[in-house]
Amino acid sequence: EVQLVESGGGLVQPGGSLRLSCAASGFSLGDYGMTWVRQAPGKGLEWVSTISDSDDTTWYAGSAKGRFTISRDISKNTLSLQMDSLRAEDAAIYYCARRRAGRLSIYDHWGQGTLVTVSS
Amino acid sequence: EVVLTQSPGTLSLSPGERATLSCRASQSVPRSFLAWYQQKPGQAPRLLIYGVSSRATGIPDRFSGSGSGTDFTLTIGRLEPEDFAVYYCQQYDVAPQTFGQGTTLEIK
């Protein structure tokens, strides 16, 4: 059974850093592209970042570029999102999601999310 | 970026009725790379439809998708109590991928 479990969320001050993790089971991260999608309280979904299945190519939304870094540790089957220079508008539930087999950004499995709060 | 506008914002229907949700793109989605997700309160989104009209694994056939170009529709043939949720469309054709703002389907 495919499972994704996020962790690492919490309260951080503006300008601070946080590292989110997503532990995958039931499949190998090396075989699938993975993505982070966030959802601000009471708002819709926003794509944040994707890492490819094959060569670790990464893509970022404009709001994340230069501040966030997506990575994966295949030996631990864990996806990460390093978030630096956090802003109030980064507050959201962060979901990791598995990209369906192939190169298209269709997300067939999601974690339950981890909440990031940015406040002084 | 491609802006997806979903309508209506809220749809109030009764179980057994048919639901029609719209997703309009600000520019063409040329390869029909459009998906629909369902999200219930406190839960993660769930993939329903991809490629405009292909149902994801385990999705009942009362869910169907259609459309092309800039106008897309999710139809739920006969509403079950568990279908009342928020629905999002997503285009993954033109970078960056984007999501609509959602349609809330509520029980009338």
Side-chain angles (χ1 to χ4, degrees):
Chain A
E1 180 193 4
V2 171
Q3 279 200 317
L4 297 168
V5 180
E6 299 95 335
S7 60
L11 174 63
V12 61
Q13 292 187 340
S17 297
L18 212 53
R19 187 176 183 87
L20 307 183
S21 295
C22 171
S25 58
F27 71 102
S28 171
L29 279 190
D31 293 334
Y32 291 86
M34 296 294 295
T35 280
W36 290 95
V37 173
R38 68 186 183 184
Q39 186 170 36
K43 302 296 184 183
L45 303 170
E46 179 188 13
W47 169 72
V48 175
S49 181
T50 295
I51 187 166
S52 70
D53 53 347
S54 55
D55 58 3
D56 283 345
T57 300
T58 58
W59 298 269
Y60 296 93
S63 58
K65 200 170 293 186
R67 300 188 301 126
F68 293 3
T69 303
I70 189 172
S71 62
R72 62 181 182 173
D73 185 333
I74 293 176
S75 67
K76 296 181 180 178
N77 224 29
T78 298
L79 176 74
S80 295
L81 184 69
Q82 176 67 38
M83 303 188 296
D84 299 319
S85 302
L86 283 162
R87 307 164 180 164
E89 55 264 35
D90 295 319
I93 297 172
Y94 284 73
Y95 296 101
C96 66
R98 189 183 82 167
R99 198 167 67 175
R100 196 171 171 272
R103 297 294 176 88
L104 298 178
S105 293
I106 305 163
Y107 305 120
D108 62 354
H109 289 275
W110 298 63
Q112 85 289 350
T114 188
L115 178 63
V116 172
T117 304
V118 184
S119 175
S120 55
Chain B
E1 71 178 38
V2 178
V3 176
L4 299 177
T5 302
Q6 293 186 240
S7 61
T10 301
L11 184 57
S12 300
L13 293 170
S14 301
E17 291 192 293
R18 179 186 187 90
T20 302
L21 288 66
S22 173
C23 175
R24 177 162 289 178
S26 60
Q27 63 189 77
S28 179
V29 181
R31 294 173 290 177
S32 295
F33 289 168
L34 187 115
W36 291 91
Y37 296 84
Q38 176 194 67
Q39 187 178 34
K40 296 180 180 179
Q43 296 186 17
R46 176 173 74 141
L47 176 66
L48 297 176
I49 300 283
Y50 62 92
V52 172
S53 59
S54 297
R55 274 187 301 276
T57 303
I59 301 304
D61 61 7
R62 64 179 181 274
F63 290 90
S64 63
S66 62
S68 64
T70 60
D71 289 302
F72 302 90
T73 300
L74 173 70
T75 301
I76 310 172
R78 222 180 127 77
L79 286 166
E80 297 287 344
E82 61 268 26
D83 298 336
F84 293 90
V86 180
Y87 292 83
Y88 295 96
C89 57
Q90 174 219 10
Q91 69 81 22
Y92 49 97
D93 204 329
V94 178
Q97 60 186 281
T98 49
F99 291 87
Q101 85 283 10
T103 289
T104 299
L105 177 57
E106 65 176 23
I107 299 178
K108 187 174 182 179

